[in-house]
Amino acid sequence: MKTNSKSEERGTAAASKAVKTKTDAAEGLRELLEDQLKDLYWAENALTKAIPKMIANATTPELVDALSEHLDVTEMQVTRLEEVFKSLGLKPEAKKCEAMDGLIKEADELMKSTEKGVVRDAGIISAAQKVEHYEIATYGTLRAFANTLGEQEAADLLNVTLDEEKEADAALSAVAESINVEAAE
Ligand SMILES: [Fe+2]
Ligand SMILES: [Fe+2]
């Protein structure tokens, strides 16, 4: 009990420091949303250039198909993000996303260091799934921020993309199962 009340005290003190007023918190959250939207806009644009490289390096037809389909989807997601900016009364703006830049660089290195065929394909899938998981985490978070701020249109748009990223991840998992068996043989 004693340790509990102590940590509770600390928690309360920290909370009253961080959350001064409701308006401050909402402003902070809105800033976070806007900032991360710019990151995401950079990331999706970068992916429209990175995915074609993955397609050129892939050999398994199912993987080529899955990546090609997601390239089309990604191009639509760029446009959808522009709608999100618009719904928030903002102009689309990109800010370099260091995390996505790193994931894309890793994918490039992986493709250079493997032989073309099932092993490189397995590597491409692992890189692509890391990208999808990053996107799923980001879209999920931003949808929650938009919901909290009462930005329903933005939340709905972000949710459409979130579902597409989950679909892409599932499609890659399905291709991975068949490729990993082949790569191990
Ligand atoms: Fe995306
Ligand atoms: Fe994606």
Side-chain angles (χ1 to χ4, degrees), residues 24 62 69 106 134 169 178 185:
D24 277 354
E62 290 88 345
E69 202 195 314
E106 266 190 21
Y134 180 84
D169 182 51
S178 55
E185 274 165 6

Side-chain angles (χ1 to χ4, degrees), residues 70 74 77 132 135 165:
H70 199 55
T74 299
Q77 291 173 346
E132 293 316 315
E135 290 183 300
E165 308 294 17

Side-chain angles (χ1 to χ4, degrees), residues 51 55 60-71 168 171-172 175:
I51 298 173
I55 295 170
T60 307
E62 290 88 345
L63 179 56
V64 172
D65 287 350
L67 290 170
S68 303
E69 202 195 314
H70 199 55
L71 175 60
L172 287 166
V175 181

Side-chain angles (χ1 to χ4, degrees), residues 30-115:
R30 185 170 291 273
E31 263 174 45
L32 263 185
L33 171 64
E34 292 177 9
D35 201 54
Q36 293 198 33
L37 266 181
K38 291 174 192 170
D39 258 51
L40 205 46
Y41 190 54
W42 186 95
E44 293 286 16
N45 270 298
L47 286 169
T48 62
K49 292 170 197 110
I51 298 173
K53 280 192 214 161
M54 292 183 185
I55 295 170
N57 273 277
T59 44
T60 307
E62 290 88 345
L63 179 56
V64 172
D65 287 350
L67 290 170
S68 303
E69 202 195 314
H70 199 55
L71 175 60
D72 292 342
V73 168
T74 299
E75 275 157 7
M76 285 191 287
Q77 291 173 346
V78 170
T79 311
R80 192 174 299 123
L81 273 180
E82 289 164 1
E83 286 172 42
V84 175
F85 277 109
K86 208 176 145 198
S87 81
L88 297 169
L90 302 166
K91 279 198 181 129
E93 202 184 308
K95 199 184 95 188
K96 188 178 178 185
C97 172
E98 298 292 349
M100 188 57 76
D101 189 50
L103 289 173
I104 291 171
K105 277 185 185 144
E106 266 190 21
D108 284 342
E109 277 165 29
L110 205 147
M111 290 188 287
K112 272 186 220 150
S113 64
T114 47
E115 263 184 60

